[in-house]
Amino acid sequence: MRLTVIGTGYVGAVHAACMAEIGHEVLGVDIDRERVTALAGGRVPFFEPGLSQMLVKAVNAGRLGFTTSLAEAVRFGDTHFVCVGTPQDPASGVADLRYLHSVVDELAGCLDGSAHDEVLMVGKSTVPVGTAARLARRLGAVSPAADVAWNPEFLREGCAVQDTLRPERVVAGVRTEHAEARLRAVYAPLLDAGAPFVSTDLATAELVKMASNAFLATKISFINAMAEVCDATGADVLTLAHAMGQDSRIGPRFLAPGLGFGGSCLPKDIRAFTARAEELGLGRSVGFLRQVDEINTRQRKRTVELAKRLLGGSFADRNVAVLGAAFKPFSDDIRDSPALAVAEMVRSRGATVRVHDPEAVDNARAASPELQFALDVAKACERADVVLHLTEWPEYRQLDPEALATVVRTPALVDARNTLDPLPWRSAGWTLRALGRPGLD
């Protein structure tokens, strides 16, 4: 099949490369000429394991190309995946749909006189419930032959290629049997490999993404709330989370106490979900999500206070080493990064802060030029009064505490991700603190 992918940011670039990988001819479309040039040359402008190799393979095989022309895309194929961003309005929390509306309006204009008898626009962007139906009316008024479906993405940064090629489910919000058949054909190799296909209406498909992210965010904030209770009572949150996770009704995933979630999805989506519910007069039904958001944000402040106590009550004239800038490992994404937020808070309180990250230093430096950065851990920790472990990269679990103790001024560590083994650190003379684990004191 010949597919187009409109919007080649994180979601779009991954989707385009993966669709080419499973055998389709794909044309990616973006208004960013530099991005199009980079992708056409086989260069991925962000870090995602496995994507670069797949992109180069597809481009060289002639199955994947890129353009800035939507009109060219309309001539190329009749199934158009829309992957443009829907950022959060910082004032209201409402999803900003201007880019999505712009694409639909331009697509409608290009469809006038199109050689394709039946055109399917497939939304992958995360949107408030009701958006797809409105877009279908908007597109249908111009081109009656055009149909709209919604096919939300469930990508985890750092695992996006795997999540696309081996999805836990493919959700298709459709209005017609023809649209469902088209999407089944697109994903046939994945369905043949056992991926479940969930066919539903537009509104349910939109809600599946929002509800899933809201639930995951709630699970993370729940265990972080329990970490606060553990700090007050002397209990250990890691043992608590482990015991809870043995219950098959709960499970261990996302019961990871620590600094909390960030990135471009969970924070934005729960705020947009809450805002949409309030528009529908259902604010009380999802009011708990505001508390979920508050608990998550509070973890950053609690981490700063934990570090402050280790320093005797003040950051003034102290050196602080920060391990991690990306919002999660295996990514260079620093959007709403808890790690970077903590680093900035510490610096604003008078400390000199030096940050290390295996992949995100360039992005972090551009976003926070007032911080200092280092390309190796030892340099970041040189003469540090405290080390903050803020992003759970595997490299940090493999550090040698004894060697690092010879570099710092004071061997003091805050494990804000609860992923470091405390025994070797304490054996090497380090003072170790972690959220929800008062027994380490």
Side-chain angles (χ1 to χ4, degrees):
M1 297 177 68
R2 305 187 86 187
L3 315 175
T4 75
V5 175
I6 304 170
T8 58
Y10 183 82
V11 172
V14 171
H15 190 67
C18 288
M19 292 302 97
E21 174 70 13
I22 63 175
H24 299 299
E25 294 181 63
V26 183
L27 183 63
V29 188
D30 206 292
I31 60 173
D32 187 331
R33 192 172 297 277
E34 288 187 9
R35 180 181 294 169
V36 164
T37 300
L39 291 169
R43 301 187 304 278
V44 180
F46 53 86
F47 177 69
E48 178 61 35
L51 180 59
S52 179
Q53 300 91 319
M54 184 176 292
L55 178 76
V56 170
K57 175 184 174 184
V59 169
N60 289 343
R63 293 195 306 273
L64 177 59
F66 295 91
T67 182
T68 58
S69 171
L70 192 56
E72 181 183 348
V74 169
R75 292 192 297 271
F76 176 84
D78 58 5
T79 302
H80 308 286
F81 287 90
V82 178
C83 304
V84 297
T86 53
Q88 175 191 339
D89 183 291
S92 65
V94 173
D96 183 349
L97 302 179
R98 76 179 80 174
Y99 306 111
L100 188 56
H101 289 157
S102 176
V103 164
V104 172
D105 289 344
E106 187 177 354
L107 183 62
C110 293
L111 289 176
D112 187 23
S114 168
H116 299 291
D117 294 330
E118 296 177 323
V119 173
L120 180 63
M121 188 197 90
V122 186
K124 293 196 74 68
S125 305
T126 302
V127 295
V129 61
T131 300
R134 289 193 296 273
L135 293 178
R137 291 192 293 270
R138 195 167 179 164
L139 192 60
V142 177
S143 178
D147 196 4
V148 170
W150 220 258
N151 170 221
E153 51 85 15
F154 301 98
L155 306 184
R156 299 166 296 163
E157 292 196 37
C159 305
V161 170
Q162 174 184 325
D163 289 344
T164 303
L165 296 180
R166 290 182 289 279
E168 293 183 333
R169 75 283 205 199
V170 175
V171 176
V174 297
R175 303 189 303 165
T176 63
E177 292 181 358
H178 176 74
E180 178 178 340
R182 182 87 62 90
L183 285 174
R184 284 186 180 274
V186 168
Y187 291 116
L190 311 184
L191 304 185
D192 290 344
F197 187 91
V198 181
S199 179
T200 185
D201 54 83
L202 296 178
T204 303
E206 292 167 316
L207 275 174
V208 168
K209 176 60 184 290
M210 285 291 197
S212 296
N213 279 357
F215 183 81
L216 295 175
T218 300
K219 198 170 181 181
I220 295 169
S221 281
F222 176 85
I223 199 61
N224 281 335
M226 294 304 100
E228 294 189 54
V229 175
C230 287
D231 280 333
T233 60
D236 186 277
V237 71
L238 287 190
T239 305
L240 172 65
H242 174 72
M244 289 179 61
Q246 301 308 301
D247 189 325
S248 60
R249 298 168 299 174
I250 298 173
R253 297 182 67 185
F254 281 77
L255 282 182
L259 187 50
F261 57 80
S264 63
C265 290
L266 292 189
K268 172 181 74 75
D269 289 354
I270 62 173
R271 293 163 193 162
F273 193 14
T274 302
R276 179 56 175 152
E278 289 173 346
E279 290 175 350
L280 295 170
L282 300 171
R284 291 178 62 183
S285 299
V286 297
F288 69 94
L289 290 179
R290 293 200 181 278
Q291 291 180 296
V292 166
D293 198 8
E294 290 168 4
I295 291 168
N296 187 61
T297 301
R298 191 162 65 238
Q299 292 302 99
R300 306 175 186 190
K301 298 175 182 176
R302 293 185 66 224
T303 298
V304 171
E305 288 304 309
L306 195 56
K308 182 180 175 182
R309 290 200 297 272
L310 263 180
L311 292 174
S314 175
F315 287 107
D317 301 319
R318 298 301 190 100
N319 296 327
V320 177
V322 168
L323 303 184
F327 87 95
K328 65 176 294 187
F330 305 108
S331 172
D332 63 353
D333 194 343
I334 50 89
R335 288 174 291 180
D336 201 3
S337 166
L340 206 55
V342 167
E344 290 169 342
M345 282 191 277
V346 169
R347 187 206 61 83
S348 71
R349 287 159 172 76
T352 298
V353 181
R354 191 176 290 132
V355 182
H356 173 269
D357 190 282
E359 295 291 343
V361 164
D362 289 343
N363 288 342
R365 183 184 284 115
S368 302
E370 69 280 1
L371 298 173
Q372 297 181 21
F373 295 90
L375 297 180
D376 64 81
V377 172
K379 186 65 176 178
C381 294
E382 192 173 88
R383 295 187 59 76
D385 296 294
V386 66
V387 177
L388 309 184
H389 174 232
L390 304 183
T391 306
E392 61 273 34
W393 285 94
E395 292 94 320
Y396 299 148
R397 292 198 295 273
Q398 298 166 6
L399 291 173
D400 183 345
E402 291 188 5
L404 208 58
T406 66
V407 174
V408 300
R409 185 155 57 189
T410 306
L413 172 70
V414 174
D415 180 12
R417 289 299 181 179
N418 272 311
T419 56
L420 302 179
D421 183 353
L423 289 179
W425 290 89
R426 300 186 79 174
S427 297
W430 287 76
T431 301
L432 179 64
R433 298 289 183 270
L435 298 171
R437 305 185 71 190
L440 293 178
D441 294 351

